[in-house]
Amino acid sequence: MNHLPTHTSLALFCKVVDNYGDIGICWRLARQLEQEHAIAVTLWVDDLRSFQRICPQVNIQREVQQIANVTVRHWRDQDGVFSAADVADIVIEFFACDIPPSYIAAMAQRTPPPVWLNLEGLSAEEWVEGCHTLSSPHPQMALTKHFFFPGFTDKTGGLLLESPLLQQRAAFQQNPAAMAAFLGQLGVTPGEFTSLKVSLFCYPEAPVAALFDVWRRSDAALTCLVPEGVAATSVEAFLGQAAVAGACATREALTVRVLPFIPQPDYDKLLWACDLNFVRGEDSFVRAQWAGKPFIWHIYPQDKDLHHVKLNAFLRRYSAKTDSLVALSLGWNAAADEDADFAAIWPSFKTDLPKIAMMSTDWQRKLLANGDLASNLLKFAETVG
Ligand code: TRH
């Protein structure tokens, strides 16, 4: 086994393809590597504006800035010129993004060459275990890249989890006054606090209007908290006004309240404070699993419905025995054989909520046994020479 140098440096390249997930994951990983493993991290980001939405300290005008002890560099283009001295001990490209050619050439000139990893997207599919840590030699240069896959088993890299997160969550959830104060700052009233609280984060295709119809006719009050810009068409139709932060309306049993898009740590608190979370993509999906609350996943849509395969792979691992959860998940993602009948699915799902909450705790125990992604990644980097 090789050893990483005492003051290990790491460059993480992040291209923001769409939305906030890519930068959300990279920023989380960068902070954790710095804070918990004393790694000198440089995060290269092409889209500072998206980064600023989840991390308000970002100054979109600056080429280089320090945030939470991480060096953040604006990755403008592929034309940068680099020498071996610029190259970090560990180089990570997120989700197969192309790092600048001159940086790769400088990597080949460095002695020793850096550990080069491609951090892949999360999937519960079985093939992931076979591809995790596979190597790919560069066709021309004396460099080898390794694939590193997050995942749900001990044959993958695990999931991102900061060491203090679960303790912070438990302290927050055991303190109803803190939860009420947090939601109060977002405009939630004491009456809404005692209703069934549901956070809603999804892609535009989600059948939000259909679910709103069912929730309106519920026998108990339900408050849906939705960040500004999410499911805007259905939210506006329900509100009868623009879905700007602070907008709110109650119709029959359902209150819909629009929240501002909040910084990442606050988004965790929102997940911890709600009784049910609708999440999407990768990062909020993982955070919902650490929140220990029931959640429904809206998966990022892919061509030829490839995402349905991924959704089913996850459901098989997570919830195969809870029919209402499977039915709601498939219906929410338009992945069922027939059109989903939410009026039938919702009541049984609601009845199953306590059982699903207990299942979340068991699930967490399984995930914890896999270790966390940042630690697993560094352990692997030590073995690569
Ligand atoms: O933004 P997303 O749709 O990202 C997705 C996925 O990462 C997907 O895998 C990728 O291929 C695609 O983009 C292009 O959803 P995700 O992954 O949940 O990321 C959202 C981030 O935004 C997450 O870090 C949580 C954060 N967030 C806040 O910080 N504040 C908020 O108010 C909300 C709603 C989210």
Side-chain angles (χ1 to χ4, degrees), residues 165 168-169 172-173 268-274 291 293:
L165 188 83
Q168 289 167 352
R169 187 204 84 191
F172 186 73
Q173 288 178 335
D268 273 329
K269 288 187 175 169
L270 179 68
L271 298 176
W272 301 344
C274 284
K293 294 292 186 81

Side-chain angles (χ1 to χ4, degrees), residues 17-22 24-25 28 54 95 201 203 227 260-264 267 280-285 300:
V17 176
D18 195 5
N19 308 314
Y20 309 102
D22 303 320
I25 293 161
R28 214 179 271 301
I54 58 159
F95 224 175
F201 187 37
Y203 297 109
F261 200 91
I262 50 186
Q264 249 184 351
Y267 183 66
R280 76 183 198 189
E282 179 168 330
D283 195 50
S284 58
F285 169 53
Y300 189 72

Side-chain angles (χ1 to χ4, degrees), residues 13-33:
F13 286 84
C14 174
K15 230 178 203 14
V16 178
V17 176
D18 195 5
N19 308 314
Y20 309 102
D22 303 320
I23 184 58
I25 293 161
C26 290
W27 178 227
R28 214 179 271 301
L29 174 62
R31 264 178 308 169
Q32 190 183 358
L33 288 168

Side-chain angles (χ1 to χ4, degrees), residues 333-346:
N333 286 281
D337 293 338
E338 296 163 6
D339 280 352
D341 178 2
F342 292 112
I345 296 170
W346 174 253

Side-chain angles (χ1 to χ4, degrees), residues 171-252:
F172 186 73
Q173 288 178 335
Q174 283 157 18
N175 186 345
M179 284 199 285
F182 169 74
L183 291 179
Q185 282 165 17
L186 297 175
V188 176
T189 63
E192 291 162 13
F193 185 69
T194 51
S195 67
L196 187 79
K197 296 177 291 302
V198 179
S199 78
L200 178 63
F201 187 37
C202 58
Y203 297 109
E205 302 78 14
V208 173
L211 206 52
F212 278 3
D213 271 350
V214 174
W215 288 346
R216 277 173 81 144
R217 289 179 271 119
S218 288
D219 49 6
L222 188 151
T223 301
C224 176
L225 302 172
V226 55
E228 194 171 22
V230 173
T233 310
S234 307
V235 172
E236 285 187 4
F238 179 86
L239 296 174
Q241 64 174 100
V244 292
C248 177
T250 301
R251 310 202 186 286
E252 298 159 80

Side-chain angles (χ1 to χ4, degrees), residues 89-121:
D89 300 310
I90 304 174
V91 178
I92 303 178
E93 55 187 42
F94 183 69
F95 224 175
C97 64
D98 286 327
I99 58 184
S102 165
Y103 198 94
I104 296 179
M107 281 161 64
Q109 284 155 14
R110 188 185 192 269
T111 313
V115 174
W116 184 10
L117 303 177
N118 174 9
L119 178 56
E120 282 288 345

